[in-house]
């Protein structure tokens, strides 16, 4: 069981939910707002002013207290709850990724988050051999004490969840917890939660998944695990996005080889050419993960201290104009912006936060930023 630790009050949890459900507030912006203002409640009060300073064409529609309470009530009716990143029952490995979701809707048993996890992903139109392999790997890894993470899609994902139902599996949804995709996996979601596993989503209840939501789902699948196994995947498939994200996060990437004549094997075979770990049996995965499974889980994160704003005057309109002029569609490092404009880091921090909330800023890997074209 997870250790006892910090928990948000109901009032704080409600404010966190309202803030993360506000348009233009993603995980990185959420973190910056909490770090700058100390609490979600204060950040919510400041949002209209920040957006206006950033040049927003219209004000953000901040979800009301009643709307947030209604979503909380929907979660309770479903037997689900919201877990915040500072709490000890937040999935442990997610804390190690850049900009983890601040708030997750969870249905099921949080203890499964404390097992060393392996993600298994692959083709929706999987072959019978691929399905058999995914189910076998999941069952074997589960017996060895691993949780199995996947995305609840047809084919390989479903087989991985089914193989690890009795030992603990985690399903990650691209839509709301009440909108499983594909719909025929609704019963599988219930089985996972009822058998010591968990189903999670960062999206609001009632959210129907769109194409752009699946890479976000894949990011969480990769982030929850020590390593990710691709069983079958065509070129340019979602499974290869998951593998790329896993590699960028420093997770191990595994692939099961397949026939060069089968298009469903092209993605996994390509990963092997690029240095993925070859898997023909479960021991290949267990041996590679062994040095990692003994490491302690990172502690519950505390949101870091913000820059010292007290001694720095707030940015003026001229400062904002200089930053907008310096930015363009090409990603630019924040340190480079500070050197070019001569602004104090705290002033730059505020201007970028305002632009972000106004929908005018795009964030890139490595902390670079650009103006939305």
């Amino acid at each position: 069981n997870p250790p006892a630790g910090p928990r948000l009050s109901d009032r704080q949890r409600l404010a966190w939910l309202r803030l993360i459900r506000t348009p233009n507030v993603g995980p990185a912006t959420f973190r910056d707002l909490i770090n700058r203002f100390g609490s979600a409640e204060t950040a919510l009060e400041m949002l209209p002013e920040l957006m206006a300073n950033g040049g927003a064409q219209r004000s953000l529609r901040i979800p009301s207290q009643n709307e947030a309470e209604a979503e909380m009530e929907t979660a309770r009716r479903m037997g689900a709850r919201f877990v915040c990143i500072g709490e000890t029952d937040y999935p442990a490995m997610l804390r190690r990724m850049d900009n983890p979701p601040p708030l997750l809707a969870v249905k099921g048993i949080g203890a499964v988050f404390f097992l060393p996890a392996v993600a298994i992903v692959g083709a929706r139109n999987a072959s019978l051999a691929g399905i058999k392999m995914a189910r076998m790997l999941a069952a074997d890894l589960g017996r060895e004490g691993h949780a199995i993470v996947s995305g609840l899609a047809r084919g390989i994902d479903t087989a991985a969840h089914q193989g690890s139902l009795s030992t603990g599996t985690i399903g990650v949804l691209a839509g709301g917890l009440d909108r499983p995709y594909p719909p025929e996996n609704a019963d599988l979601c219930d089985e996972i939660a009822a058998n010591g596993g968990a189903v999670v989503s960062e999206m609001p209840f009632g959210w129907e998944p769109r194409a752009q939501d699946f890479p976000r789902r894949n990011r969480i699948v990769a982030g929850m695990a020590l390593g990710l196994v691709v069983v079958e995947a065509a070129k340019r498939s979602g499974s290869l996005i998951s593998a790329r994200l896993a590699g960028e996060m420093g997770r191990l990437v595994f692939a099961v080889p397949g026939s060069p004549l089968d298009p469903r094997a092209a993605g996994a075979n390509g990963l092997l050419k690029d240095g993925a770990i070859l898997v023909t049996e479960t021991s290949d995965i267990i041996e590679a993960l062994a040095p990692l499974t003994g490491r302690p889980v990172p502690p519950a994160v505390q949101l870091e201290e913000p820059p010292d704003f007290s001694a720095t005057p707030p940015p003026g309109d001229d400062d904002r104009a200089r930053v907008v002029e310096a930015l363009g569609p090409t990603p630019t490092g924040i340190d480079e912006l500070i050197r070019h404009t001569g602004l104090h880091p705290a002033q730059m921090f505020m201007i970028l936060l305002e632009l972000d909330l106004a929908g005018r800023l795009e964030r890139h890997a490595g902390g670079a930023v650009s103006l939305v074209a």
Side-chain angles (χ1 to χ4, degrees):
N1 286 333
R7 290 196 67 78
L8 264 62
S9 68
D10 289 344
R11 178 175 167 175
Q12 288 172 314
R13 200 178 306 274
L14 206 62
W16 275 49
L17 183 60
R18 290 179 65 201
L19 186 57
I20 196 59
R21 296 292 187 247
T22 300
N24 294 349
V25 178
T29 311
F30 184 99
R31 180 202 62 211
D32 289 347
L33 285 165
I34 297 285
N35 289 340
R36 170 63 184 92
F37 297 108
S39 74
E41 289 178 275
T42 306
L44 286 165
E45 292 170 12
M46 295 300 299
L47 281 180
E49 181 184 331
L50 293 170
M51 288 185 54
N53 289 341
Q57 297 302 306
R58 57 180 185 274
S59 61
L60 276 184
R61 192 188 170 282
I62 301 167
S64 69
Q65 183 116 341
N66 286 344
E67 287 171 314
E69 285 172 349
E71 190 176 353
M72 290 270 198
E73 181 54 35
T74 301
R76 277 192 289 271
R77 282 201 311 272
M78 275 196 66
R81 65 194 186 283
F82 289 100
V83 177
C84 302
I85 190 172
E87 300 179 308
T88 49
D89 52 350
Y90 185 89
M93 284 297 295
L94 274 189
R95 299 190 195 118
R96 293 184 183 176
M97 65 189 261
D98 287 340
N99 302 321
L103 195 71
L104 279 178
V106 177
K107 183 178 181 181
I109 308 298
V112 74
F113 300 144
F114 288 80
L115 297 175
V118 179
I120 298 178
V121 299
R124 288 177 169 84
N125 63 332
S127 69
L128 196 56
I131 287 170
K132 185 177 178 182
M133 185 70 173
R135 193 176 285 130
M136 181 197 78
L137 291 174
D140 290 350
L141 288 165
R143 280 191 292 271
E144 292 292 326
H146 290 277
I148 300 300
V149 188
S150 199
L152 279 159
R154 297 182 182 98
I156 297 299
D157 289 22
T158 294
H161 290 306
Q162 289 170 339
S164 53
L165 258 182
S166 62
T167 53
T169 186
I170 302 164
V172 186
L173 289 172
L177 275 191
D178 55 343
R179 294 291 188 273
Y181 183 86
E184 65 259 29
N185 270 351
D187 289 344
L188 179 57
C189 289
D190 293 338
E191 285 183 72
I192 289 171
N195 282 276
V199 182
V200 307
S201 174
E202 66 173 325
M203 304 306 284
F205 281 83
W207 187 273
E208 292 286 353
R210 308 159 301 169
Q212 60 262 45
D213 298 323
F214 288 95
R216 292 180 62 163
R217 186 271 316 266
N218 296 347
R219 181 173 172 266
I220 296 177
V221 169
M224 278 195 169
L226 293 164
L228 180 136
V229 186
V230 177
V231 177
E232 283 183 343
K235 287 182 178 176
R236 293 185 293 278
S237 66
S239 299
L240 296 190
I241 294 174
S242 300
R244 176 178 56 79
L245 293 168
E248 289 172 357
M249 293 178 204
R251 313 305 200 241
L252 296 183
V253 177
F254 302 86
V256 176
S259 166
L261 300 177
D262 187 343
R264 291 170 294 198
N269 289 345
L271 288 173
L272 291 168
K273 286 181 182 177
D274 291 339
I277 300 167
L278 177 75
V279 174
T280 57
E281 56 189 5
T282 312
S283 61
D284 297 327
I285 302 169
I286 292 170
E287 287 169 12
L289 290 176
L292 304 178
T293 53
R295 290 184 189 171
V297 167
V301 295
Q302 301 301 314
L303 293 166
E304 64 258 25
E305 287 294 312
D308 182 10
F309 290 88
S310 57
T312 310
D317 290 341
D318 288 348
D319 300 326
R320 294 184 182 95
R322 291 218 310 280
V323 172
V324 169
E325 186 181 343
L327 279 169
T330 304
T332 306
I334 294 173
D335 289 344
E336 194 179 342
L337 279 173
I338 290 169
R339 283 195 301 272
H340 176 76
T341 59
L343 291 174
H344 188 279
Q347 294 173 314
M348 181 63 69
F349 178 96
M350 280 301 298
I351 293 170
L352 294 178
L353 184 55
E354 291 166 354
L355 290 170
D356 199 359
L357 287 166
R360 299 176 64 195
L361 193 76
E362 194 168 344
R363 296 176 184 266
H364 303 271
V369 292
S370 65
L371 279 184
V372 173

